[in-house]
Amino acid sequence: MLDSLTRLEERRAEARQGGGERRIAAQHAKGKLTARERLEVLLDEGSFEELDMFVEHNCTDFGMEAQVIPGDGVVTGSGTINGRLVFVFSQDFTVFGGSLSERHAAKICKIMDMALKVGAPVIGLNDSGGARIQEGVASLGGYAEVFQRNVLASGVVPQLSLVMGPCAGGAVYSPAMTDFIFMVKDSSYMFVTGPDVVKTVTNEVVSQEDLGGAVTHTTKSSVADCAFENDIEALLAARDLMGFLPASNRSGLPERASGDPFDRLEPSLDSLIPPSPNQPYDMHELIAKVVDEAEFFEIQPDHAGNILTGFGRIEGRPVGIVANQPMVLAGCLDINASKKAARFVRFCDAFEIPIVTFVDVPGFLPGVAQEHNGIIKHGAKLLFAYAEATVPKITVITRKAYGGAYDVMASKHLRGDLNYAWPTAEIAVMGAKGAVEIIFRGRSAEEIAERTAQYERRFANPFVAASKGFIDEVVMPHSTRRRVALGLRKLRGKQLQNPWKKHDNIPL
Ligand code: HXC
C-alpha cells in the first residue's frame, strides 16, 4: 500500500515537471511563468484541484510514441477566486510547445463541459505553438471541439482568455469567441498568419509584435480587451474582473460589502460641465464619483476612447457602465465606439448585469471613411444591443444628447427604465448653430447669431424632453450616485421578456 502511495507521489512529481528543467528555464528566460505558476497566481492559495494529470497523447507518427509527457501540454481543473468556483486550463509551453493534440483538446473540453453543467466561468491561459504538427487532422478536430463548446457556453458562463505566449493560425478563434481577452506585452501574440506568410503573400514586412502583439490588439484591432506588462499583472487583473461577473447567466450577481454610502453627495459634480459647450471634461471623473470606492474596471481602455465601457459596483453589486467621453472626438459615436459598446452591452444583458449609461454625445462622427466603412451597420449594432437588452437600464444625460445618438444611448424609447438628465443637458436634433444654419440658410450673420441664441434658449436644455416624459426627472449632478443607487434598488425585481424567437439577426 505504502509503495503505491509513494509511486503516485512520484508520478505526480514527474507530471509537474512538464517539459523539464531546461525548458522551464527557457520559459522563465522569456519573462514568462510556467503553466502551473500561472495557476498559483490566478487561483486562491491551495484551491487548485487538477484533473487529467496523467493523460497522454495517442500519436504514433514521427517517433511520438517515444516522447510521452504526462498531462500532454495542458494543465486543467478547477479552483476558486475569492472563494468562487472557476474552471481553468493552462497550456504548458514546455511540453511540445503547448501544442494542441487530440487528447490535449479533450482535456480542455472536459472542463468546459463541467463548467457548463454546473454553471461556473471558464478561464483559459493560452501559450501554444498551435496544432500538434505530428497529429495533423486529429488536432484540427480537437480545435473544432473546443470552438463548438466556446459557442455553446457563450452567454451561459463567462469565458475569459489570457493570451500569454504564441497563439496563431486557427487557434486564435477559441479566444476570439470568449467574452474577454487579456494579453501580455512583448511575450504574447495572436495572428491568423504570421510575419513570414504575410511577407510572402503581400510583401509587407512586419514584426510579430506589430502584427499581433498586445498593443496592436488593444489599440488598433480591438481583438483583445486589456494589455498588461507581465504575466502577474494580467493574472491579478483576471481575479479582479471575475469579482464583477456572475458565475453563470442563472446564478445572480456576486455581492460584496461596501462601506460607501449609497447617498454620498458629490458637490464637485455640480461644476463638472465646463461653461463652453465645446470644452471637454473627463467622463472618468463622473464614473469614479458615482461607483463604490471609485473602483472602475475598464474594458478596452486603449481602443475607441470616445466611449468608455467597464464594470463598477453600486451598493456592492456590479453594474456595467457605458459613457461617452468628451475628451476624445468630442464623444462622437463612430464605428469603433459603436462596436465596442454594443459588445459590452450584450455581455451585460446576457449575464443580467444592470447597465448605467452616461450620455454626452454630439452625434455620429461625419466623414467619407465612416460612411464607406459602414457606420450605418455598425452604429445599428449599438442601437440593437440597447434595444434588445432587458436588464435594468438607467441613463443620465450630462450635456449633449443630439440626433440619432440621443435615441441610441439607452433612451426612454429603447425601454430605458429610468432616464435622468442634469440641468446642463441639451437634448435636441442637433447643435443650435447647425440647426439655425439649416433653417435660416442665407440669412445675415447677425440674424443667425440671434436665431442661434433663440434656439439655444428653447432647446438647449432638458425641459422639452422632460415635458414629454422622455426624461423621468431632471436631477442635481451632486445627487447622481444616490439617484442611480435608488434606481437600481427599485429595478432589482425587473421582469421583461422579448418575444420568442430562435435568435435575433443583429446587424453583424
Ligand atoms: C508540435 C511543437 C509545435 C507544434 C512548437 N513545438 N510548436 N511541437 N507541434 N505546433 C515544439 C518544438 O518542436 C519545440 O520542441 C518546442 O515546442 C518549443 O518550440 P521552439 O520552436 O523551440 O520555441 P520558440 O523558438 O519559442 O518558437 C515558438 C513557435 C515555434 C513560434 C511557436 O515553435 C513555431 O513556429 N511552431 C510552429 C507553429 C505552427 O506552425 N503551428 C501550426 C499552426 S497551424 P523541443 O522538443 O525542441 O522543446 C494551426 C492550425 C490550427 O495551429 C487550426 C485550428 C482550426
Side-chain angles (χ1 to χ4, degrees), residues 32 91 93 97-100 104 126-131 143 165-168 171 189:
K32 302 197 302 185
Q91 292 180 312
F93 191 80
S99 58
L100 185 135
H104 174 131
N126 296 262
D127 188 356
S128 167
Y143 272 114
C167 184
Y189 53 83

Side-chain angles (χ1 to χ4, degrees), residues 360-435:
D360 187 349
V361 63
F364 280 95
L365 184 68
V368 175
Q370 288 289 310
E371 297 294 345
H372 286 188
N373 287 305
I375 182 66
I376 295 174
K377 188 160 263 189
H378 298 296
K381 291 180 172 143
L382 182 55
L383 170 57
F384 199 113
Y386 267 126
E388 72 176 341
T390 55
V391 284
K393 294 188 282 198
I394 298 182
T395 306
V396 182
I397 301 175
T398 59
R399 188 168 62 173
K400 297 168 193 167
Y402 290 164
Y406 153 75
D407 278 343
V408 169
M409 294 301 297
S411 64
K412 195 69 184 165
H413 325 283
L414 303 185
R415 303 186 296 180
D417 295 299
L418 288 167
N419 290 70
Y420 294 126
W422 286 4
T424 43
E426 304 166 18
I427 305 167
V429 171
M430 53 171 49
K433 191 151 181 296

Side-chain angles (χ1 to χ4, degrees), residues 271-473:
S271 52
L272 181 69
I273 303 296
S276 155
N278 298 326
Q279 245 177 298
Y281 59 94
D282 189 355
M283 193 58 100
H284 284 109
E285 188 179 335
L286 170 57
I287 296 170
K289 285 177 174 162
V290 168
V291 297
D292 291 355
E293 282 108 20
E295 198 190 340
F296 179 51
F297 192 107
E298 196 166 344
I299 298 294
Q300 297 206 0
D302 303 319
H303 176 75
N306 38 333
I307 205 153
L308 309 178
T309 54
F311 299 102
R313 291 186 186 83
I314 305 270
E315 293 200 271
R317 288 172 60 82
V319 288
I321 291 173
V322 179
N324 307 114
Q325 167 61 296
M327 307 270 286
V328 180
L329 293 175
C332 274
L333 287 178
D334 63 354
I335 291 172
N336 289 344
S338 302
K339 289 198 299 190
K340 169 178 166 180
R343 183 160 166 78
F344 183 76
V345 165
R346 296 193 99 216
F347 176 84
C348 291
D349 189 48
F351 288 99
E352 302 292 352
I353 301 172
I355 301 165
V356 178
T357 305
F358 295 115
V359 182
D360 187 349
V361 63
F364 280 95
L365 184 68
V368 175
Q370 288 289 310
E371 297 294 345
H372 286 188
N373 287 305
I375 182 66
I376 295 174
K377 188 160 263 189
H378 298 296
K381 291 180 172 143
L382 182 55
L383 170 57
F384 199 113
Y386 267 126
E388 72 176 341
T390 55
V391 284
K393 294 188 282 198
I394 298 182
T395 306
V396 182
I397 301 175
T398 59
R399 188 168 62 173
K400 297 168 193 167
Y402 290 164
Y406 153 75
D407 278 343
V408 169
M409 294 301 297
S411 64
K412 195 69 184 165
H413 325 283
L414 303 185
R415 303 186 296 180
D417 295 299
L418 288 167
N419 290 70
Y420 294 126
W422 286 4
T424 43
E426 304 166 18
I427 305 167
V429 171
M430 53 171 49
K433 191 151 181 296
V436 167
E437 277 168 0
I438 293 169
I439 314 173
F440 300 101
R441 200 187 295 277
R443 305 290 173 86
S444 70
E446 294 77 49
E447 188 179 349
I448 294 279
E450 189 192 315
R451 296 284 190 185
T452 301
Q454 195 184 9
Y455 192 95
E456 270 170 8
R457 280 195 299 277
R458 175 78 182 96
F459 292 115
N461 62 63
F463 297 104
V464 180
S467 73
K468 297 177 191 301
F470 298 171
I471 292 297
D472 296 303
E473 190 66 328

Side-chain angles (χ1 to χ4, degrees), residues 22-23 30 93 96-97 99 129-134 140 143 147 166 168-171 189 208:
R22 182 177 58 81
R23 293 191 184 91
K30 289 181 201 153
F93 191 80
F96 310 120
S99 58
R132 178 87 47 90
I133 293 166
Q134 296 89 334
L140 300 186
Y143 272 114
F147 298 161
Y189 53 83
Q208 271 185 1

